[in-house]
Amino acid sequence: QVQLVESGGGLVQAGGSLRLSCAASGRTSSLNTEGWFRQAPGKEREFVASITWSAGITYYADSVKGRFTISRDNAKNTVYLQMNSLKPEDTAVYYCAARPGGYNTVAGQYDYWGQGTQVTVSS
């Protein structure tokens, strides 16, 4: 089994930064891709960014491109999401997710999910 635990959420003013972490444990060798999704109240869960464990290939949603950076530390089995220039519209619960396959922007294609961490950006 795989467990994912997010941390690093909080309250920040517009223009500020936060760094989210997602620590993976269990049978992590079965995973190929880890992604970040977010869900605001009344909204569908949307793709934010993803990274492959081996090659480190990254993908970003257009809404965060140039502001967010996803990275991974293979030795620590941890994926990070550095969020800069935060906007109020970034406010959401952020979830990390993992799957054995490759790049995918569809939440339903991810097998493992963290508990979520709240990110609130004030104007």
Side-chain angles (χ1 to χ4, degrees):
Q1 191 61 54
V2 173
Q3 288 186 311
L4 304 175
V5 180
E6 304 101 328
S7 62
L11 174 65
V12 65
Q13 294 184 8
S17 298
L18 284 173
R19 188 195 193 202
L20 306 183
S21 299
C22 179
S25 60
R27 297 178 175 85
T28 58
S29 61
S30 66
L31 306 177
N32 185 51
T33 300
E34 191 161 335
W36 287 95
F37 291 78
R38 65 187 183 186
Q39 188 165 23
K43 302 293 185 180
E44 295 292 318
R45 189 167 298 187
E46 67 173 347
F47 172 80
V48 176
S50 70
I51 189 168
T52 60
W53 284 104
S54 56
I57 305 299
T58 60
Y59 296 89
Y60 296 93
D62 289 341
S63 59
V64 306
K65 197 171 298 180
R67 298 188 297 121
F68 292 10
T69 302
I70 188 170
S71 61
R72 90 284 197 230
D73 186 332
N74 289 24
K76 295 180 178 180
N77 287 327
T78 299
V79 171
Y80 305 95
L81 185 68
Q82 179 66 46
M83 305 185 294
N84 298 326
S85 301
L86 282 162
K87 305 174 181 179
E89 49 263 47
D90 295 318
T91 296
V93 176
Y94 283 70
Y95 300 89
C96 66
R99 66 191 306 269
Y103 160 75
N104 202 298
T105 64
V106 180
Q109 296 299 309
Y110 285 76
D111 299 291
Y112 305 101
W113 292 85
Q115 82 286 355
T117 185
Q118 177 70 48
V119 172
T120 302
V121 184
S122 62
S123 59

